[in-house]
Each structure stands twice: as C-alpha cells, then as structure tokens.
Amino acid sequence: MIKANHFLGLVCALPLSYSTSFAEEVAIGKFGTTDYGDWKVSGDAFKKGPVSGDLLKTLEIENSGDISIASSEVEGDGPTGTLTSPDFKISQPYISFRIGGGDYEMHACVDLMIGGKTVKRATGRNSDRMTSTSWDVKEFVGKNAQIRVVDEAEGSWGHINVGKIVQTDRPESMPVAKGTLYQESLRPQFHITARQWVMDRLNPGMRQDGWLNDLNGLVYYDGEYHLFAQRWNKCWIHSVSKDLIHWRELEPAFWEEKLDSAVQSGTCVIDYNNSSGLSPDKKNPPMVAFWSRNSPDHCISYSLDHGRTWKHYEKNPILTFPERDPKVFWYEPAKHWVMMMYGSGKYHIFTSSNLLDWKNENNPIDDAFECPDFFELPVVGKSSVKKWALIHADGRYSLGTFDGKKFTEETPRYLSDVGGQHFYATQTFDNTDKADGRRIQLAWMRGSDFKDMPFSQQVSFPCELTLHDTKDGLRIFRRPIRELELLHKTERKLGSRTLEAGEVLPLAASGELFRIQAEVTIPEGAKLTFRLRGFPVVLTSKTMESGIGPHSAQEEIKTVEILVDRASVETFINDGEISCTRNFLPEQEDLTLEAEGTVTIRSLVIHQLKSIWSGESK
C-alpha cells in the first residue's frame, strides 16, 4: 500500500480534474509462514514452503517487503520445480510483484498464463535484491489466468524469488515502456528484426527475447519463404513472407531441450519424398530442421504443418561429430542428401539417403570458417555453365565443382560483401527451384545495437546472387531483389548535371528510408560523396568506401545503388560487383551529394520507401 505521506504528496501534485479514487489491491500470492495456501507445488524447488523472517537474511534476500515470499533457493541452486497459483480473473490494469534471483528466461522466471499459454514473463537480474516489477495487463482484463513461478535452472543463479503479487491500478513500479510494436523510434523499417513475445525488457542481450543473430534454415515451401534465425542457442525465431518484403513474425519455432543444451545454427529442408519417414502421409512432406547442441551432437526437429508447430525427433541425436552448423541439401544427380558440417577449422561432407543416417565422405575442406552455405549457380549469359559456390560465415566464397561427395575449389576466396563484421553468418534460400529459381541471400548485420529499445540486431536486405564472367574471372554479384519496388513511396528524378569541386547537391532535407540509384562519371583524382544522414559513401573513379575500405572495382564505377534505413546503409557498385553492408545510427537529418573535382551525374533517382511492417505483422 502507498504510505500516507507519499499519498498526500501525490494528491497535491494532481490536477483538480483528476480523480483520486483508486481500486483496492487484489492479492494473488498471499503466502502463509508455512505453506502457499491454494498454490500448487511440483518438484523440489519450492517444497520447503515460503521464506520469511530470519531465513530471508540467511539467504541474503533484500527488499522483500517484510512478507512471506516464494523462493527456490532454500536448498541451494540445485532443486527444480514450479509453483502455480489457482485460476483468477484479471480485474485490474496491472499485476505488480517483487522479484529477484536468476536471469534465465523460461528457466528461472515468473509467468502469467492464459489458457495454458505464457503471455507475460519476468526474471530476476542475477541478484537477490528483489525489485518492484509490473505487467500491463489491460488487454487481458476479464480473462481467467494463472501465475506460475518456474525454476528449471541448476548451477549459478539457478533460483527465483517472488512475492507481494497483487492486481492493482497503481503498481509500485510502472511497466517497461517499449513503444508500439514495429514502430519503435529506432526499429529498422525494411530490415528484419526480432520482437519480444512475453518479456518486457529494454536492451536485450544474447539468448534473450528480442535478440537475433545467425540466419538459419532459409527455405521456400508452398508459396512461403521461411526465415529462421538464432536467439543465440536458445531457440530458432521464425518469420514468413510471400514476397520477401513483407514479413509476419511467428512465435519461435522450437527451443533448446533444456537450459544450456542449445539449438545452434543449421538448415531446413523439405523432404518431398518423405525419405525420413517423419510424416505419416507422403502427400504431406515434413519440413526438417537440422541443428547442433552445445555438444558434438547434431539433431533434427520437424514440422508437418508448414512450420507452425514443431517436434524434436525422439531418437536425437542423428549424428555425433565435432562441431556444428550443418548445411543440408538434396543433390539431384546422385539422388541423395548432402550435409556440409563445420568442425575443427574444416568443412566436412556427409551423405544420406534418409536424413537420419549419415556417412562421412572424408573429403574435408581446409581453412573453413563456421556456418557454411553451398549451392550451384549458372553463369549469366551462359546458362549451361554452372559452378558450385561455397560461402563461409564471414562472406568469403570460392567457386568449383562438386560430384556429390567432394568439392574441388577452382578459385581463390573472394569477399561477397565488403562490410566486414557487419556481414556475418550468410545464408541463402533453399528450394527456390520450386519458385523462380533465384538464389537469394541474407546475413546477420552483427553489432547493430539499439539503445533502450526492446530488440537488438538486424538482418541485411534480401539480395539476389548472380555469377558473372568478368575480365578477372568468375565473380558473384549481389543486388537488392526486384521486389524492393513494392516499397516505393515517392520518387524524385534529377536529370544529368555536372558538379564542380566543392558543390553540394541537396537530395532530401529529412526522411529515414531511401533507395538511391545513380549513374556517374568520376574522373581520376575526383571524388563523389553521398552524405546520408551523416553517413558518408565515398566514390572515386574505381573505389568505394562505405564505412569501411576503400575497395576497388575491376573497372570504372558507373552505377551506384544505396539503401538507407533507420540504422543501416547498404551500397552496391556496378550492378552488384561490390556490395557493402553497414550498420550506423544517424547523426543528422539531411541527405546530400558533394563533389571533389568535377563529377558528372548522368542520372539520379531517389525513392522514399515505405515500412514493411503492416498490421498483420503484429
């Protein structure tokens, strides 16, 4: 309850038109000194009963409110179990409580459950000083609910403390203000990010709700593109799209089997022939996900409903081999499955007829670097000539031949994008031969933090990969997919013009989302600088510098395309010969073009872009 003198201060500070009437608090967890009343205990973590008095001091639990609390620490961090309230009807706009203990989402937490589903969750912060916390539950008023206190964590901070649980219209501490979903002030508007499903937390870190890293299992199936990504070992997050532009974020596909067992990066395939036997109906092929534990075990999960629900294979693991990141695909000439696996600085090749039993072909590829991607591309203009491309996690690729069991590299390793650490764990969509056959790539834009936002990290814009026969040999080009036109909002065209040394051409006074396309002639010794909300992209006759570099083109730079979102700049030179993917946070509002020396702009088109987040995304 609010103390009298504090309440008086609040009343004095209120405008005269404000009603000072408050609803009575409704206790949910009023525990006795020896038992939890009508709450149900399972397992061992809470079996000793509530904690109060001197035991609070013994366990070094602070700020409990001098009442009995639920604590799973009485016998240390080893025991596990749950404590569940009886059903209650949500009648107030907030549920308020004090919480301390471990910071393990799902494993040491307090859950609000409606219809058996968790809709809100809170954790401690690896501290036994309990903090006042609350949930905004206005949307659930009138519904029946339960609160469940969970301890499934063992080891350091493997406990949870909670007490003073009430329904109220004046919580001790107001809920975290996260903003409107997908419209938060720093949320990228045409790049994929992760949402929070049950947590209310700003600045989420690795393994926490709202975090995103490695791309996993990109696959096309039955009219939908499925994008999976890591919540760093914790689960595979999942989004779907019909056009590669507008995405609908689904709840995480599947989770690690237990705390710290992990579901690391991997692949998804569609087992059209049901070679695995995982589907009871051959007309309904399973979608099969391959992933690695934190051990050398490699496992599968599968879905029979287009990725909406998943089941871990009951006979996991299917393979034990150091280390991780299985890339699996169907090799049509030999009619078998192939797995490319990272381990001990090499890529190892396995084959299988059924996705369950795997043979090591003992043809390792040296000097490998995590998260492999492997596919075949035709040469543009020479469709009968094809090469296999092996791409490492850092975006380096080589070209060669593959016979279903051995990859023979025929080229050095080149950068597919020059963005450095901001371009990582690249993957391409598989099974697109059932669509239009394009090879479409995305990457984790590593290091893209967003201060005081309920999300962290982002994904690069989808790019089509094509193989070109250049004067220096075969090279992969990257260009934004053509569907980008769906986001065009306004268009501004500037005709041919010459910029003299020191001349500044305004492009836009303000705005956040842009696509810029230009044809240029830059004489030797001159420079052309696009200054994009403070971020410089600098071009010379043959080099491009966009947050890193400079990097040289094979020939003179003739075209440039730049995508600007709230927190990224992606630059493409000479129809994708060079691309550079970079995170940034704006320092100013305007966009300008500036010349050093005399530069000719042959054409320039600026499109303001729309957000990809529609109402159905929420």
Side-chain angles (χ1 to χ4, degrees):
M1 298 294 289
I2 298 178
K3 293 181 179 179
N5 58 348
H6 180 56
F7 177 74
L8 181 60
L10 285 175
V11 172
C12 293
L14 292 171
L16 294 177
S17 60
Y18 187 89
S19 172
T20 59
S21 62
F22 295 120
E24 286 294 323
E25 289 184 342
V26 179
I28 300 172
K30 190 174 183 180
F31 308 132
T33 56
T34 60
D35 62 55
Y36 295 107
D38 49 5
W39 287 52
K40 293 183 179 179
V41 175
S42 70
D44 298 325
F46 301 96
K47 69 179 183 181
K48 291 292 186 178
V51 170
S52 60
D54 290 342
L55 188 51
L56 288 168
K57 297 179 181 178
T58 300
L59 297 175
E60 300 180 337
I61 297 172
E62 301 176 353
N63 197 36
S64 66
D66 296 324
I67 59 172
S68 296
I69 68 165
S71 174
S72 62
E73 193 184 7
V74 177
E75 294 185 306
D77 287 336
T80 60
T82 64
L83 178 65
T84 306
S85 79
D87 283 349
F88 63 92
K89 181 170 285 187
I90 298 178
S91 59
Q92 300 286 351
Y94 303 101
I95 293 178
S96 176
F97 50 95
R98 293 187 184 183
I99 187 171
D103 189 357
Y104 297 107
E105 295 175 12
M106 286 191 73
H107 300 285
C109 58
V110 178
D111 289 351
L112 174 66
M113 304 176 67
I114 295 178
K117 179 181 178 180
T118 298
V119 296
K120 290 285 186 180
R121 173 172 288 147
T123 68
R125 293 294 186 267
N126 291 341
S127 170
D128 282 327
R129 179 171 179 81
M130 299 179 72
T131 58
S132 297
T133 304
S134 65
W135 294 315
D136 184 335
V137 293
K138 298 184 190 75
E139 63 182 302
F140 305 121
V141 169
K143 294 186 177 182
N144 290 328
Q146 287 181 302
I147 287 180
R148 182 178 62 183
V149 186
V150 179
D151 180 356
E152 295 177 350
E154 300 176 9
S156 179
W157 290 107
H159 64 271
I160 190 76
N161 306 318
V162 63
K164 204 175 182 181
I165 310 171
V166 297
Q167 296 195 65
T168 181
D169 60 0
R170 54 193 195 283
E172 288 186 343
S173 177
M174 292 299 291
V176 173
K178 298 194 298 184
T180 302
L181 180 61
Y182 299 121
Q183 298 176 32
E184 303 94 338
S185 60
L186 295 181
R187 173 86 70 172
Q189 291 297 288
F190 60 93
H191 288 77
I192 294 169
T193 47
R195 62 165 288 179
Q196 288 184 345
W197 290 93
V198 293
M199 290 292 294
D200 295 326
R201 184 199 299 261
L202 302 181
N203 305 306
M206 298 182 300
R207 311 199 75 192
Q208 294 177 341
D209 204 3
W211 173 275
L212 172 154
N213 57 291
D214 295 6
L215 278 299
N216 293 332
L218 307 187
V219 68
Y220 174 84
Y221 179 47
D222 200 17
E224 282 186 324
Y225 294 90
H226 293 259
L227 182 150
F228 301 90
Q230 282 282 298
R231 186 188 293 169
W232 210 302
N233 284 9
K234 191 77 171 178
C235 63
W236 279 28
I237 62 175
H238 187 192
S239 293
V240 294
S241 174
K242 293 185 180 297
D243 60 10
L244 289 165
I245 295 292
H246 301 94
W247 294 88
R248 182 161 61 94
E249 194 170 358
L250 305 179
E251 293 191 37
F254 50 85
W255 301 78
E256 63 181 345
E257 298 145 304
K258 61 180 182 179
L259 180 61
D260 292 333
S261 64
V263 285
Q264 296 199 70
S265 299
T267 314
C268 255
V269 300
I270 309 302
D271 185 10
Y272 283 105
N273 295 322
N274 197 29
S275 62
S276 61
L278 293 173
S279 175
D281 180 3
K282 290 186 177 182
K283 295 180 181 179
N284 182 31
M287 181 182 289
V288 186
F290 292 79
W291 47 272
S292 308
R293 291 174 178 156
N294 273 335
S295 65
D297 290 343
H298 308 287
C299 304
I300 61 175
S301 302
Y302 63 96
S303 172
L304 301 177
D305 58 1
H306 291 73
R308 270 50 181 186
T309 60
W310 291 81
K311 181 179 180 181
H312 288 318
Y313 180 50
E314 61 184 8
K315 295 182 180 179
N316 280 334
I318 58 164
L319 176 66
T320 299
F321 185 86
E323 294 172 21
R324 61 184 183 275
D325 304 335
K327 165 68 180 180
V328 179
F329 62 94
W330 176 254
Y331 183 70
E332 179 62 25
K335 307 236 182 273
H336 66 225
W337 297 98
V338 175
M339 177 188 292
M340 186 79 74
M341 176 86 73
Y342 172 72
S344 303
K346 304 176 187 289
Y347 290 145
H348 303 267
I349 297 171
F350 295 79
T351 59
S352 174
S353 62
N354 62 6
L355 293 176
L356 306 177
D357 304 294
W358 293 88
K359 176 187 177 184
N360 189 346
E361 296 296 344
N362 294 310
N363 291 314
I365 301 158
D366 292 330
D367 192 22
F369 192 68
E370 297 186 338
C371 302
D373 196 12
F374 191 46
F375 50 86
E376 192 176 33
L377 278 177
V379 178
V380 172
K382 303 176 182 178
S383 58
S384 62
V385 180
K386 299 180 180 181
K387 292 295 178 181
W388 283 82
L390 176 62
I391 303 185
H392 300 236
D394 60 2
R396 293 187 181 273
Y397 73 92
S398 59
L399 303 170
T401 59
F402 181 60
D403 65 4
K405 297 182 179 180
K406 183 178 181 180
F407 174 62
T408 302
E409 287 184 289
E410 298 177 336
T411 70
R413 293 174 182 174
Y414 308 112
L415 280 173
S416 54
D417 186 278
V418 299
Q421 66 174 355
H422 295 188
F423 187 83
Y424 195 76
T426 68
Q427 289 292 299
T428 57
F429 280 96
D430 195 20
N431 203 43
T432 53
D433 56 303
K434 300 294 191 298
D436 57 19
R438 288 178 296 169
R439 182 58 61 168
I440 297 166
Q441 183 188 58
L442 300 99
W444 168 29
M445 296 176 69
R446 184 168 58 174
S448 46
D449 293 314
F450 302 92
K451 181 175 173 57
D452 296 333
M453 292 288 107
F455 57 89
S456 186
Q457 313 300 300
Q458 62 182 321
V459 177
S460 65
F461 189 79
C463 284
E464 181 180 0
L465 303 185
T466 50
L467 185 59
H468 296 255
D469 193 358
T470 74
K471 72 179 185 65
D472 291 337
L474 294 175
R475 296 289 190 277
I476 292 178
F477 285 25
R478 300 179 71 250
R479 290 192 65 184
I481 57 172
R482 57 179 179 261
E483 288 86 348
L484 177 57
E485 294 181 359
L486 296 173
L487 296 180
H488 286 182
K489 183 178 180 181
T490 64
E491 178 182 271
R492 180 188 177 198
K493 288 185 177 181
L494 282 73
S496 178
R497 67 184 61 200
T498 298
L499 297 184
E500 301 297 338
E503 185 176 354
V504 177
L505 176 65
L507 301 180
S510 62
E512 297 179 304
L513 319 178
F514 294 94
R515 180 190 193 183
I516 302 169
Q517 296 167 286
E519 297 179 1
V520 299
T521 298
I522 308 172
E524 189 171 343
K527 286 184 179 180
L528 183 64
T529 300
F530 291 83
R531 201 165 298 280
L532 310 167
R533 307 190 72 203
F535 185 95
V537 175
V538 182
L539 307 180
T540 68
S541 62
K542 292 190 67 173
T543 68
M544 177 266 286
E545 186 171 356
S546 180
I548 189 172
H551 295 276
S552 297
Q554 292 182 10
E555 298 179 346
E556 289 185 4
I557 292 176
K558 296 180 179 179
T559 67
V560 57
E561 179 170 5
I562 306 174
L563 306 184
V564 182
D565 201 344
R566 285 178 173 174
S568 64
V569 172
E570 291 168 279
T571 307
F572 306 86
I573 298 299
N574 290 349
D575 296 322
E577 175 196 337
I578 302 176
S579 68
C580 186
T581 302
R582 297 293 293 178
N583 305 315
F584 92 111
L585 290 176
E587 297 178 354
Q588 58 195 58
E589 289 297 315
D590 63 337
L591 285 72
T592 61
L593 192 54
E594 181 177 356
E596 294 183 31
T598 302
V599 176
T600 300
I601 309 298
R602 300 198 177 279
S603 69
L604 181 63
V605 181
I606 306 166
H607 287 99
Q608 279 198 300
L609 302 179
K610 296 178 287 188
S611 171
I612 66 174
W613 303 116
S614 61
E616 70 173 4
S617 300
K618 299 179 181 180

